[in-house]
């Protein structure tokens, strides 16, 4: 009997005490029945992907492998067929393969895509939106989350263009795993080694949708607003929308149904989010009011312009006069208006401040009567406007929680967990 009991504990990943020692068992079985598509690109770390397919199956996943032409120089399809338990897919333009499982079907098949190893070349292709191989086409066509485990020489990893490509993919919601630092196959030492297969499999098992916002409706506002002066010009601010879009994506990953009301940005609408584009604060208010009745949570990330021109001139304002005085009127405060409703959703605001952000966030928490404020410092050396990084402090009636400096994507994930915990504490009947 001893063995089966251990086996059950092992599969459930439980902790159990043995005298004074607590044994933390691995998170096995978390991928039970999940479909994981492993994409392998050309690099010496491709041999590790054999082990990755085995580890994913140990976690209970169903695995299919797609190889790029370069990957086949390092590893054979036959090996991966044996370890994945499924035929390996290689070619975009092979009619036999397309008759079996075509590229669109393959893109629809997975719950999770993991590219391991992801070469610098493949990362650049994804960032450019290319669909020139079966794997890049699947990445473009899939609606499943895509994780990327980079593996390359340390100098290639350090190059500005690679960092930009990785940041681009991350801003689109890709989950970047690693790379590790250490001795490399090329004889150099530094960052660029692919994470170990066991670690990749564990991260994927742990990052399965948490479900902390399961069955909840989340409304997010993001980006700046533009307040027109005339048909040509507008008043606006530096908000890029990246933080709000990352929050919307993180809420989807947590199981929520998400609506996003976005001011003008250069960003792609996040996957699986119903996105409504607006321009001015008044349009943003109307869009929020249209959806607010069904929302359980409002996360107001938008940098809404506080003032708008009293009048929009019908024609372009001429520069005949040496001075020009604009008359501005206050815009509605969308967040405060929602929080003042008779039965408001759980409300979260952001406070971008050039000094004392936490202190000013607390003043807004009280004045706008919201449940949680997220403070961040703007305008300094680490100005988050347009950047992929930010540094957040959560302020509520219980105190302050610093989330520290990190990528907006990772901060958004942590923020969603914090919001979910507070939402469920306030609404115990809604616990998932
Ligand atoms: O007062 P302040 O603009 O700093 O407040 C910031 C918070 O209030 C943000 O969450 C922002 O989205 C929201 N806000 C709003 N409508 C406004 C101004 C700010 O919803 N007119």
């Amino acid at each position: 009997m001893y063995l089966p009991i251990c086996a059950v504990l092992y599969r459930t990943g439980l902790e159990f005490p043995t005298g004074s020692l607590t044994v933390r068992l691995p998170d096995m079985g978390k991928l039970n029945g999940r479909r994981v598509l492993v994409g392998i690109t050309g690099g010496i770390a491709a041999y590790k992907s054999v082990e990755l397919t085995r580890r994913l199956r140990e976690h209970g996943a169903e695995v299919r492998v797609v190889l790029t032409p370069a990957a086949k120089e390092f590893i054979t399809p036959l090996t991966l067929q044996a370890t994945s338990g499924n035929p390996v897919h290689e070619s975009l333009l092979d009619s036999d393969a397309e008759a079996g499982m075509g590229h669109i079907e393959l893109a629809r098949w997975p719950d999770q895509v993991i590219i391991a190893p992801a070469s610098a070349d493949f990362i650049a292709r994804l960032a450019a939106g290319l669909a020139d191989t079966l794997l890049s086409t699947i990445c473009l066509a899939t609606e499943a989350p895509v994780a990327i485990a980079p593996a390359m020489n340390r100098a290639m990893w350090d190059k500005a263009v690679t960092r930009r490509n990785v940041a681009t993919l991350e801003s689109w919601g890709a989950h970047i795993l690693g790379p590790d630092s250490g001795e490399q196959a090329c004889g150099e030492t530094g960052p660029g080694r692919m994470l170990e297969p066991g670690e990749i499999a564990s991260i994927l098992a742990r990052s399965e949708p948490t479900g902390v916002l399961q069955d909840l409706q989340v409304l997010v506002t993001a980006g700046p607003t533009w307040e027109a002066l005339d048909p040509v010009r507008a008043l606006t601010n530096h908000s890029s929308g990246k933080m709000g879009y990352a929050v919307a994506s993180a809420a989807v990953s947590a199981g929520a149904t998400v609506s996003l009301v976005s001011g003008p940005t250069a960003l792609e609408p996040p996957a699986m989010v119903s996105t409504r584009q607006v321009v001015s604060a008044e349009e943003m208010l109307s869009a929020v009011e249209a959806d607010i009745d069904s929302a359980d949570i409002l996360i107001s990330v938008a940098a809404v312009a506080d003032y708008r021109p009293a009048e929009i001139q019908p024609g372009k304002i001429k520069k005949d006069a040496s001075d020009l005085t604009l008359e501005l009127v206050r815009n509605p405060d969308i967040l405060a208006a929602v929080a003042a409703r008779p039965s408001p959703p759980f409300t979260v605001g952001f406070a971008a401040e050039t000094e004392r952000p936490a202190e000013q966030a607390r003043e807004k928490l009280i004045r706008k009567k919201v449940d949680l404020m997220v403070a961040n410092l703007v305008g300094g050396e680490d100005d988050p406007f347009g950047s992929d990084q930010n540094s957040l402090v959560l302020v509520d009636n219980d105190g302050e929680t610093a989330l520290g400096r990190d990528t907006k994507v990772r901060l958004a994930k942590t923020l969603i967990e914090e919001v979910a915990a507070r939402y469920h504490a306030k609404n115990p009947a809604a616990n998932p």
Side-chain angles (χ1 to χ4, degrees), residues 67-140:
L67 290 173
T68 63
K72 278 172 62 186
E73 305 291 327
F74 294 89
I75 188 90
T76 73
L78 202 59
T79 312
L80 289 154
Q81 180 169 322
T83 55
S84 70
N86 274 314
V88 171
H89 307 268
E90 307 165 39
S91 174
L92 184 58
L93 302 172
D94 175 338
S95 49
D96 284 349
E98 283 289 299
M101 194 184 235
H103 63 279
I104 295 298
E105 262 175 295
L106 260 178
R108 287 190 190 130
W109 179 83
D111 299 304
Q112 172 75 58
V113 176
I114 165 75
I115 313 295
S119 64
D121 175 75
F122 191 76
I123 288 171
R125 278 164 198 278
L126 287 191
L130 295 186
D132 54 347
T133 62
L134 178 61
L135 187 56
S136 53
T137 305
I138 289 170
C139 289
L140 200 57

Side-chain angles (χ1 to χ4, degrees), residues 377-390:
L377 197 62
V378 293
E381 215 172 74
D382 292 329
D383 194 353
F385 278 133
S387 161
D388 294 310
Q389 305 258 324
N390 206 348

